Amino acid sequence: MVKKVFLLLLLTGCVLSAYAQSARMQRVYMFGFAASLGDSVAFLTDVQTMDSAYVHYNGFLADRSMYSAQLQQAMATRTGKENMTCAVFFGTKKNQVEKKYLKLKHRYGRKNGVVVQALGLDQFRFLPVAYVEPTSEAKTTKEAK
């Protein structure tokens, strides 16, 4: 009887662990921010709608680094600076993301006389990132390191 309860708990833990690692596709609103410490110009993209973004159960955007890498590559092409710091801000409610956008624009624009330059949708647009579910093999190699 004890073994059956233990096996049931172990199986339940495995199922919940697999569910916790998965992400679901959902609509998110996002914008990007790019700045360089040695420059007086920072860049903000427009708020964009991504219909095919994946969000983890804990609310984090899956493959966030891929979206910021897209912005960093575009900024390197545009400005010639390959080491700009880029960040992506996102949310599931458009009005909350727009509030973040305005707050960041206002706060960063006042700081040290930085000019915040807007990048319209015609200048930069995030591309969807294909989400690949982590496999148990990949998890074990990460744990081994």
Side-chain angles (χ1 to χ4, degrees):
M1 179 69 174
V2 173
K3 288 182 181 179
K4 287 182 181 179
V5 171
F6 178 72
L7 288 174
L8 182 64
L9 289 173
L10 183 63
L11 180 64
T12 304
C14 291
V15 169
L16 290 176
S17 174
Y19 175 73
Q21 295 297 327
S22 66
R24 62 186 171 123
M25 187 174 10
Q26 110 182 57
R27 175 181 291 160
V28 296
Y29 302 94
M30 62 174 37
F31 68 91
F33 176 76
S36 179
L37 293 176
D39 198 358
S40 62
V41 179
F43 298 90
L44 265 174
T45 69
D46 284 345
V47 175
Q48 302 174 22
T49 305
M50 295 292 293
D51 290 324
S52 60
Y54 286 85
V55 178
H56 288 288
Y57 75 99
N58 57 5
F60 284 109
L61 183 65
D63 298 323
R64 305 178 287 291
S65 61
M66 299 298 288
Y67 291 107
S68 61
Q70 287 178 21
L71 180 58
Q72 188 173 29
Q73 190 173 29
M75 295 312 301
T77 303
R78 181 182 177 91
T79 64
K81 296 179 182 175
E82 295 183 12
N83 57 353
M84 292 188 83
T85 302
C86 298
V88 175
F89 297 85
F90 71 96
T92 56
K93 297 181 180 170
K94 189 174 185 176
N95 61 348
Q96 289 177 343
V97 175
E98 287 174 342
K99 283 181 184 179
K100 287 181 192 178
Y101 177 88
L102 292 174
K103 186 175 180 179
L104 183 66
K105 183 178 180 180
H106 180 69
R107 181 178 289 168
Y108 206 86
R110 290 188 312 176
K111 185 180 178 183
N112 300 326
V114 174
V115 176
V116 178
Q117 211 173 51
L119 293 175
L121 293 176
D122 57 333
Q123 296 171 319
F124 177 78
R125 184 178 290 272
F126 287 108
L127 300 174
V129 173
Y131 177 70
V132 177
E133 188 73 37
T135 62
S136 59
E137 189 175 295
K139 292 177 195 172
T140 56
T141 57
K142 285 182 182 178
E143 291 171 0
K145 291 180 181 181

